[in-house]
Structure formats: structure tokens, C-alpha cells
């Protein structure tokens, strides 16, 4: 019996992988310009890290983590997201003491959530994310949002919607929390068991419940924006004016909650507005998490970041019918006619590659016509034909596949001449 790929995962094959590489390249280049440096953390962490950061009442922690005991009896978890590990590393590596502040980091890599697979929802997916730690300036919130928007736009996405909200500071959240409890308590029996247990622990999560979203009480639930204190209000207004200054359109949605517990003040999501995009329209999510560094054992440090998945990025590109410029080609394909010529070509091929060209030759002992076909399939720019006779005369024939023009070079000067003709 053959073995198939696990549900919710995918193989990314040549032809498709070039799109991934282009997105990753653009992300790295943007981070360089925005001055975010790459951090690489382990794929698994102690389970406690996620309980403490993502929050033990969230779906991620309650239902979606790949948690197991290692052979030493420790509970470890495949990372469901990147922020917790970055903050853990920030504390452990004492980055709060770095001369350069704020500390601006980015990461790219696989995350794991045991979710019900569907379009845009995988059990293993790749996140690109950034985290800026050490600044409580709303200008950096705007910078983080601008980076995400710029990445999408750099590859031609147009149908984007940025939605922002403020979750306020602790005081505002406590006031909101109380209002939510008062609102839901009298009829909490009509809600699902998850919501019933959320009422005391984390009533804001009720607003994000997928099962009870149509309940009558949801519509007029108290909005966090009514409970923002002066500081939180000012912070949110400043963010909005920075976004306006940067020319980034946005909508305020007081019901934007986010599925992780560490947020306060700014919360945002970027959605695809493209027609035909599946039910899950969120491409990117992020927000501010002042207090998380202390929670993980570090000194008081504000932070903000976002993460987006490459899977949904590509789905959005498809929905907008955007073809990425990823047509691969080969600079030179070597065709061999005869044993001696083939032997020579093995060395010539290696020399071409070392000289910086992409080059290929036939390894299936094909006839000349089939070798040309193979060159075509690889989208070769030039085909160099070497026969045993040419070899004796120190010559090689080169054909431009674009113009059909043929040139004869002296074999020992071939690479030099080829270099010059390609420039
Ligand atoms: P999140 O909203 O859980 O936030 O995920 C961020 C993004 O990851 C989503 O908007 C989506 O693009 C992608 N994503 C999540 N789950 C899946 C899935 N099952 N399949 C495909 N893509 C998925 C976080 O992870 C936070 N750590 C973001 C953050 C960083 N906040 C502050 N800093």
C-alpha cells in the first residue's frame, strides 16, 4: 500500500516553488529596507511557552496544537505561530540590552495547527512575520502595517482591505470585560460550552466564536471602542493619522478580535477583497502585545508585529489572476554528437557552471533531435552543439534559440566569448 501525504499539508513542486521563492525574496528585500533582521528559532518549544503567551482559552491552545512528550518526558509543541518564540528568544538572549532599539526582527518558516483543512487552511503552513520590540510609538505600528501592505503590493495585489481596531490598555480592557460579562451573563445558557467557559476567563473571546456568531446578543454586544480610556484613545487616533499620512486606506472594525490572547491597543488584519476568494479572506494578522515580554520573564517591553502565510498570499494572487514573472530558463544547453564530444561536454558543462551560467546537457544518450527538444523544454537561451569532428577542429556551434542565429566559436575560447555575447 502506498503512503500518502498527511491531511492539511502539501508538496510544493518545481513550477510552483518559484512563486514561493519570489515572495520570500521580496519579503527579505523589504525587511532589509525597513531594517528588520532575520531571526531563526526552533520548530518546537516547551508547551508552556504557548500556554502563557497565546493563551489557554484560545482555540489554538485548546484544540490545535501538535503537542507531545519527548523521550525525556518533557511536553513540547510544534510551534503554532512565531511571536511566542521570538519573545522567548528576546528575553533569553537579553536583546533588551542591545544598543540598537527597538529590536526589529523577522522570520519565515513552517507553523503547525491541527485545524480542519479547507481552502486556505492547512495543518502545516509557512508564515512570514515581523516583530518590533522596545517601542510604544504608534508610528512603529504604522510602519509594521506599511511593511505588510508593501509586500502584497510589490507582487501586484490590489484588492486588499486593511481593518484595524484598538483593544485598549489593561484598564480599558477590564472595563470592557465587565460590560461583556454583564451583557452575556443573563443568557449564557444559550451559548456553546466554549463560550460558557469563556464568560469568566476571557469574555472577549465570545465575540470571536464561530458557532454563536449569529446569536442575537452578538449584534449589540458592548464595543471595546466605547470603553477606551484617554491614553488608549489617543494612541489609536495617532495610529490612524500615521496611516493616513502614509496613504494607507483602512477601515475601523470594533468587532475585530484576533484569535490570540496577547494583544492590546492595535489589532489589525489585511483581507483579500478579490471576487472568488474563498470563505477565509484574512491574509495577514497582527497587533500590539505590550506585556508579553514580562509574561515570558523579561523586563517591561512593548511590542508589535504581524504574520502572514505564503499559502494565502498565493491564493490571493490566483484570485486576482496575477501571474508572477517566474519563467525559469537555462543559459546554455550542450548537445553532444559522439562519445568524445560527450566526454568533452561533461567538462565544458562544469566549466560553464563555475563561470556563473546555468547550463545543462543530455544524460539519456538521446539523438540530436531529442536533445534539442529537451533544450526547448528547459527554455534554453542558447544551444551549443559539439560533434567529434568539431572537437578535432577545436570548434563549437552555438545557436540562439530566440533568433535562430548560429555562430561558430573556437572551443578553447568558448566560455570567454559566450560571456561577452550574453552581456
Ligand atoms: P494569526 O492570525 O494566528 O496570528 O496568523 C497570522 C496569519 O497566518 C493569518 O492571517 C494567515 O495568513 C496565516 N494562517 C494562520 N493559520 C493558518 C492556516 N491554518 N493555514 C494557512 N495560513 C494560516 C499569528 O500567528 C500572530 N503570531 C501574528 C502576530 C505576530 N501578531 C503579532 N506579531
Amino acid at each position: 500500500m502506498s503512503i500518502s501525504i498527511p491531511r492539511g499539508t502539501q508538496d510544493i513542486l518545481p513550477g510552483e516553488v518559484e512563486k514561493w521563492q519570489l515572495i520570500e525574496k521580496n519579503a527579505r528585500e523589504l525587511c532589509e529596507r525597513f531594517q528588520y533582521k532575520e531571526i531563526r528559532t526552533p520548530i518546537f518549544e516547551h508547551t508552556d511557552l504557548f500556554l502563557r503567551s497565546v493563551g489557554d482559552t484560545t482555540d489554538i491552545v485548546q484544540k490545535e496544537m501538535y503537542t507531545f512528550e519527548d523521550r525525556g518526558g518533557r511536553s513540547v509543541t510544534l510551534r503554532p505561530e512565531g511571536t511566542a518564540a521570538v519573545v522567548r528568544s528576546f528575553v533569553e538572549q537579553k536583546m533588551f540590552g542591545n544598543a540598537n532599539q527597538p529590536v526589529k526582527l523577522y522570520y519565515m518558516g513552517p507553523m503547525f495547527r491541527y485545524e480542519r483543512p479547507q481552502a486556505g487552511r492547512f495543518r502545516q503552513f509557512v508564515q512570514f512575520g515581523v516583530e518590533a520590540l522596545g517601542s510604544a510609538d504608534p508610528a512603529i505600528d504604522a510602519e509594521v502595517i506599511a511593511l505588510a501592505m508593501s509586500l502584497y503590493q510589490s507582487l501586484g495585489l490590489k484588492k486588499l482591505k486593511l481593518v484595524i481596531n484598538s483593544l485598549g490598555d489593561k484598564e480599558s480592557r477590564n472595563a470592557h470585560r465587565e460590560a461583556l460579562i454583564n451583557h452575556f451573563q443573563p443568557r449564557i445558557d444559550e451559548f456553546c460550552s466554549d463560550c460558557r467557559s469563556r464568560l469568566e476567563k476571557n469574555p472577549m473571546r465570545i465575540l470571536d466564536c464561530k458557532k454563536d456568531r449569529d446569536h442575537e446578543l452578538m449584534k449589540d454586544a458592548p464595543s471595546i471602542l466605547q470603553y477606551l480610556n484617554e491614553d488608549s484613545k489617543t494612541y489609536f487616533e495617532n495610529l490612524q493619522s500615521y496611516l493616513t499620512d502614509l496613504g494607507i486606506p483602512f477601515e475601523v472594525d470594533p468587532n475585530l478580535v484576533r484569535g490570540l490572547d496577547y494583544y492590546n491597543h492595535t489589532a489589525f488584519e489585511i483581507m483579500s477583497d478579490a471576487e472568488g476568494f474563498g470563505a477565509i479572506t484574512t491574509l495577514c494578522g497582527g497587533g500590539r502585545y505590550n506585556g508579553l515580554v514580562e509574561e515570558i520573564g523579561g523586563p517591561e517591553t512593548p511590542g508589535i508585529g504581524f504574520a502572514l502565510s505564503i499559502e494565502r498570499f498565493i491564493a490571493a494572487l490566483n484570485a486576482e489572476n496575477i501571474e508572477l514573472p517566474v519563467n525559469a530558463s537555462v543559459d546554455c544547453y550542450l548537445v553532444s554528437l559522439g562519445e568524445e564530444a560527450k566526454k568533452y561536454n561533461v567538462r565544458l558543462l562544469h566549466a560553464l557552471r563555475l563561470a556563473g551560467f546555468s547550463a545543462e546537457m543530455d544524460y539519456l544518450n538521446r539523438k540530436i533531435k531529442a536533445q534539442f527538444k529537451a533544450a526547448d523544454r528547459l527554455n534554453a537561451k542558447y544551444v551549443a552543439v559539439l560533434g567529434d569532428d568539431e572537437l578535432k577542429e577545436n570548434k563549437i556551434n552555438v545557436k540562439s534559440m530566440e533568433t535562430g542565429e548560429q555562430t561558430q566559436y573556437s572551443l578553447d575560447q568558448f566560455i570567454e566569448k559566450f560571456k561577452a555575447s550574453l552581456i
Side-chain angles (χ1 to χ4, degrees):
M1 198 180 70
S2 62
I3 297 176
S4 58
I5 195 169
R7 244 164 85 71
T9 68
Q10 55 177 348
D11 297 320
I12 298 137
L13 305 182
E16 183 68 13
V17 82
E18 291 80 5
K19 294 183 192 165
W20 289 66
Q21 290 167 341
L22 185 63
I23 293 173
E24 288 160 10
K25 179 168 156 272
N26 278 28
R28 287 182 197 285
E29 280 174 11
L30 266 184
C31 282
E32 177 64 32
R33 282 192 249 157
F34 280 69
Q35 282 296 293
Y36 286 72
K37 307 284 178 199
E38 185 175 5
I39 179 169
R40 300 187 186 193
T41 62
I43 299 280
F44 63 91
E45 296 274 350
H46 292 297
T47 303
D48 274 349
L49 175 65
F50 303 112
L51 301 187
R52 263 207 259 170
S53 53
V54 174
D56 53 10
T57 56
T58 59
D59 278 357
I60 294 181
V61 165
Q62 288 195 341
K63 303 178 189 160
E64 297 171 1
M65 294 207 303
Y66 281 89
T67 297
F68 56 97
E69 259 191 19
D70 70 8
R71 286 168 192 272
R74 299 168 205 92
S75 179
V76 293
T77 295
L78 299 185
R79 60 185 187 187
E81 60 101 55
T83 311
V86 170
V87 170
R88 195 253 323 121
S89 176
F90 178 85
V91 172
E92 199 166 356
Q93 309 298 336
K94 301 192 170 51
M95 288 184 237
F96 43 82
N98 285 6
N100 280 340
Q101 295 290 334
V103 173
K104 305 205 300 185
L105 301 166
Y106 80 89
Y107 50 89
M108 226 177 312
M111 308 289 162
F112 306 85
R113 295 185 194 177
Y114 192 81
E115 295 194 84
R116 199 167 59 78
Q118 52 181 297
R121 183 166 282 157
F122 295 87
R123 289 186 173 166
Q124 174 174 332
F125 54 97
V126 173
Q127 272 189 349
F128 159 66
V130 312
E131 312 293 347
L133 291 132
S135 165
D137 184 339
I140 206 158
D141 301 34
E143 174 183 280
V144 160
I145 293 173
L147 202 169
M149 293 297 282
S150 306
L151 178 59
Y152 288 127
Q153 285 159 349
S154 76
L155 288 169
L157 283 180
K158 293 203 169 62
K159 297 182 176 150
L160 299 167
K161 187 167 86 177
L162 167 66
V163 179
I164 61 172
N165 188 20
S166 171
L167 305 177
D169 61 7
K170 217 177 210 160
E171 188 184 79
S172 315
R173 284 160 69 94
N174 282 341
H176 183 226
R177 186 190 133 86
E178 212 155 291
L180 285 170
I181 295 179
N182 291 337
H183 179 76
F184 287 113
Q185 187 133 52
R187 292 173 65 185
I188 195 64
D189 292 346
E190 298 165 24
F191 285 75
C192 72
S193 60
D194 282 346
C195 283
R196 288 202 296 271
S197 71
R198 283 168 184 149
L199 183 70
E200 287 301 326
K201 281 195 228 151
N202 193 350
M204 224 176 164
R205 293 241 62 77
I206 297 178
L207 301 176
D208 203 26
C209 180
K210 287 165 197 120
K211 283 189 211 138
D212 292 322
R213 81 173 111 201
D214 296 326
H215 193 284
E216 202 189 328
L217 283 190
M218 289 293 203
K219 277 190 254 51
D220 55 354
S223 147
I224 177 70
L225 295 182
Q226 301 163 313
Y227 291 87
L228 293 185
N229 59 15
E230 277 314 305
D231 283 355
S232 302
K233 234 187 252 168
T234 310
Y235 196 94
F236 194 39
E237 281 162 10
N238 285 340
L239 166 66
Q240 294 179 52
S241 84
Y242 281 124
L243 287 174
T244 306
D245 289 347
L246 292 176
I248 301 175
F250 60 86
E251 277 173 30
V252 174
D253 178 358
N255 293 322
L256 176 72
V257 180
R258 305 279 301 121
L260 305 96
D261 276 354
Y262 45 62
Y263 293 113
N264 41 60
H265 290 289
T266 310
F268 69 94
E269 290 190 351
I270 300 171
M271 331 264 194
S272 169
D273 244 355
E275 223 173 281
F277 197 74
I280 302 169
T281 56
T282 303
L283 303 178
C284 168
R288 184 159 273 288
Y289 45 82
N290 301 348
L292 182 57
V293 174
E294 293 99 295
E295 189 61 40
I296 307 294
E300 195 180 325
T301 311
I304 170 131
F306 73 75
L308 60 86
S309 71
I310 314 274
E311 288 81 356
R312 290 194 196 168
F313 198 143
I314 289 177
L317 290 166
N318 292 340
E320 290 198 34
N321 292 318
I322 296 170
E323 292 268 349
L324 295 184
V326 289
N327 293 328
S329 65
V330 168
D331 293 327
C332 187
Y333 190 94
L334 298 182
V335 168
S336 323
L337 302 170
E339 271 303 302
E340 289 308 310
K342 188 226 162 145
K343 263 191 163 168
Y344 188 91
N345 269 348
V346 168
R347 279 186 286 137
L348 184 58
L349 180 71
H350 190 56
L352 274 168
R353 289 168 172 172
L354 292 186
F357 298 108
S358 59
E360 189 53 291
M361 68 180 285
D362 170 60
Y363 286 118
L364 297 174
N365 282 323
R366 281 176 281 208
K367 301 244 159 57
I368 178 164
K369 218 171 147 193
Q371 293 190 43
F372 264 95
K373 259 200 190 145
D376 245 354
R377 271 195 296 269
L378 292 178
N379 216 354
K381 291 185 195 140
Y382 291 88
V383 175
V385 185
L386 185 67
D388 288 351
D389 292 345
E390 281 96 352
L391 182 60
K392 276 189 210 122
E393 291 165 27
N394 188 33
K395 282 181 196 143
I396 187 164
N397 293 313
V398 180
K399 181 176 175 188
S400 158
M401 298 300 274
E402 200 195 330
T403 63
E405 194 187 330
Q406 306 213 26
T407 319
Q408 194 168 63
Y409 292 108
S410 137
L411 195 48
D412 43 19
Q413 290 172 2
F414 170 58
I415 292 186
E416 280 313 303
K417 293 274 162 99
F418 191 63
K419 248 187 200 166
S421 75
L422 267 195
I423 292 165

